[in-house]
């Protein structure tokens, strides 16, 4: 269930209440006239089944409530109410399958913004991965994958393509490119430093690395795994099952490939640098492709499901 808290101008409150009452899957409607001060207006609250949330929020935006008032949405972890149970039963589909496009756009907007924190996490992850590739340590590679925040901008690009939001696409692309360029440049300097203090050596980089050699040897398995991870990551975002993102992060070779390219560049090993760069680009492309197709499929099937539900109601 979702909880909606609205601030509505007095002249729009009746329209909002009628909209909520006719939306299947809503309950616990409450109106507090004149309670809001900034902006001035009435406070309207209700609970709505997640599968009916996107339709209701879209209709509220058509009434310009987001411009002349406010729309706040919260997830309800626990609701002990027969009315809530009935609302969820009446709402079309399953909550886990519903996509809240406004929530997805807002989340990807935040995660795809180029900030100091985002760059810092990516730089740290790449340096950890650099240690992993030189030492041929799979644990460090997995740790670096988990730390890397690059899925946010990738999800932003997918969402921007489906929602036709060029500003979000540009913001996500800038965050992705600038983040990786900065991370790789810093890691080159980090590699020089580690070599100077005898912690890195070219011999370690060129040695057989059974645990980490895959990061500069792209193949079809790399592409397939990245596609599957991209689909899983997108599903985890749209269904609010964020725990799956950790599995996605440690399934794709983005940060380790960037790290290996940086370390190899510091030793003028252009073969590994190019191979790692190919691995990085292949994974990024596969994730974007899979994420975009997953969102398009969700949008298509959910729209058809809602249309069938409306048709059944009209016939009934």
């Amino acid at each position: 269930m979702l909880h909606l808290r609205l601030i509505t101008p007095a002249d729009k409150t009746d329209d909002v209440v009628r909209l909520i009452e006719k939306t299947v899957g809503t309950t616990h409607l409450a109106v507090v006239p004149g309670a809001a001060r900034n902006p001035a207006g009435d406070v309207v609250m209700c609970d709505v089944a997640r599968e009916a949330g996107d339709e209701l929020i879209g209709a509220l935006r058509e009434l310009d409530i987001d411009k002349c008032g406010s729309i706040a949405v919260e997830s309800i972890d626990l609701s002990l109410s027969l009315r809530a149970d009935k609302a969820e039963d009446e709402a079309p589909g399953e909550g886990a399958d519903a996509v809240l496009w406004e929530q997805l756009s807002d989340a990807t907007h935040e995660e795809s913004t180029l900030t100091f924190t985002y760059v810092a996490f990516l730089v740290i992850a790449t340096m950890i991965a650099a240690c992993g590739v030189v030492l041929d340590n799979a644990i460090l590679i997995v740790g670096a994958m988990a730390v890397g925040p690059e899925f946010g901008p990738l999800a932003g690009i997918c969402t921007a393509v489906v929602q036709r939001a060029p500003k979000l696409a540009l913001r996500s692309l800038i965050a992705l490119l600038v983040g990786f360029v900065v991370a790789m440049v810093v890691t080159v300097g980090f590699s020089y430093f580690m070599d100077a203090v005898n912690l890195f050596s070219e011999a370690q980089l060129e040695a057989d690395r059974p645990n980490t050699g895959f990061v500069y040897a792209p193949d079809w398995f790399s592409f397939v795994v990245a596609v599957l991870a991209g689909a899983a990551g997108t599903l985890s975002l749209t269904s609010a099952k964020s725990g799956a993102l950790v599995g996605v992060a440690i399934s794709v070779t983005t940060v380790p490939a960037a790290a290996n390219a940086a370390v190899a560049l510091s030793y003028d090993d252009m073969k590994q640098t190019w191979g790692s760069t190919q691995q990085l680009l292949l994974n990024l492309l596969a994730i974007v492709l899979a994420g975009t197709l997953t969102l398009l499929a969700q949008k298509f099937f959910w729209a058809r499901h809602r249309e069938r539900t409306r048709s059944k109601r009209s016939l009934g």
Side-chain angles (χ1 to χ4, degrees), residues 230-295:
T234 303
L235 286 172
S236 73
L237 285 178
T238 56
S239 65
K241 296 183 182 298
S242 57
L245 280 176
V246 177
V248 172
I250 61 177
S251 300
V252 292
T253 314
T254 50
V255 168
N260 198 86
V263 175
L265 184 61
S266 70
Y267 287 112
D268 294 324
D269 185 339
M270 302 313 297
K271 182 179 179 180
Q272 283 201 37
T273 299
W274 175 235
S276 301
T277 302
Q278 286 180 306
Q279 181 77 276
L280 173 61
L281 295 176
L282 181 67
N283 277 264
L284 295 178
L285 175 63
I287 293 172
V288 170
L289 177 64
T292 301
L293 292 177
T294 300
L295 287 178

Side-chain angles (χ1 to χ4, degrees), residues 151-167:
F151 191 79
L154 292 170
I157 294 173
C158 299
T159 304
V161 172
V162 175
Q163 294 290 82
R164 298 179 183 177
K167 290 184 179 179

Side-chain angles (χ1 to χ4, degrees), residues 78-304:
L78 177 64
S79 180
L80 302 177
S81 167
L82 290 176
R83 288 181 178 273
D85 294 340
K86 183 180 178 182
E88 288 190 313
D89 290 339
E90 292 177 345
E94 296 294 333
D97 296 331
V99 180
L100 295 177
W101 291 101
E102 296 296 336
Q103 184 184 56
L104 179 62
S105 297
D106 184 69
T108 51
H109 178 280
E110 181 179 351
E111 294 295 327
S112 62
T113 301
L114 184 64
T115 62
F116 174 81
T117 301
Y118 164 80
V119 174
F121 268 116
L122 193 53
V123 167
I124 292 170
T126 308
M127 290 193 293
I128 293 173
C131 296
V133 297
V134 172
L135 297 175
D136 194 34
N137 189 314
I139 295 176
L140 291 177
I141 293 295
V142 171
M145 292 184 192
V147 173
E150 72 278 7
F151 191 79
L154 292 170
I157 294 173
C158 299
T159 304
V161 172
V162 175
Q163 294 290 82
R164 298 179 183 177
K167 290 184 179 179
L168 177 59
L170 180 61
R171 181 185 299 108
S172 302
L173 188 60
I174 289 174
L176 192 67
L177 295 179
V178 173
F180 269 111
V181 168
V182 172
M184 293 172 72
V185 169
V186 173
T187 303
V188 169
F190 176 71
S191 179
Y192 283 135
F193 170 78
M194 295 293 280
D195 181 81
V197 296
N198 296 320
L199 292 176
F200 280 9
S201 70
E202 186 173 3
Q204 289 174 298
L205 181 71
E206 301 298 339
D208 290 334
R209 290 188 278 143
N211 294 320
T212 60
F214 66 92
V215 299
Y216 60 89
D219 54 23
W220 280 108
F221 280 106
S222 302
F223 182 79
V224 170
V225 170
V227 166
L228 296 175
T234 303
L235 286 172
S236 73
L237 285 178
T238 56
S239 65
K241 296 183 182 298
S242 57
L245 280 176
V246 177
V248 172
I250 61 177
S251 300
V252 292
T253 314
T254 50
V255 168
N260 198 86
V263 175
L265 184 61
S266 70
Y267 287 112
D268 294 324
D269 185 339
M270 302 313 297
K271 182 179 179 180
Q272 283 201 37
T273 299
W274 175 235
S276 301
T277 302
Q278 286 180 306
Q279 181 77 276
L280 173 61
L281 295 176
L282 181 67
N283 277 264
L284 295 178
L285 175 63
I287 293 172
V288 170
L289 177 64
T292 301
L293 292 177
T294 300
L295 287 178
L296 287 172
Q298 287 180 291
K299 191 172 185 177
F300 174 76
F301 287 116
W302 186 253
R304 290 197 60 181

Side-chain angles (χ1 to χ4, degrees), residues 48-69:
V48 59
R50 180 182 172 87
E51 51 268 41
D54 188 64
E55 183 178 4
L56 178 56
I57 293 170
L60 289 169
R61 295 197 68 180
E62 289 179 2
L63 291 174
D64 291 331
I65 301 303
D66 57 320
K67 297 177 181 177
C68 60

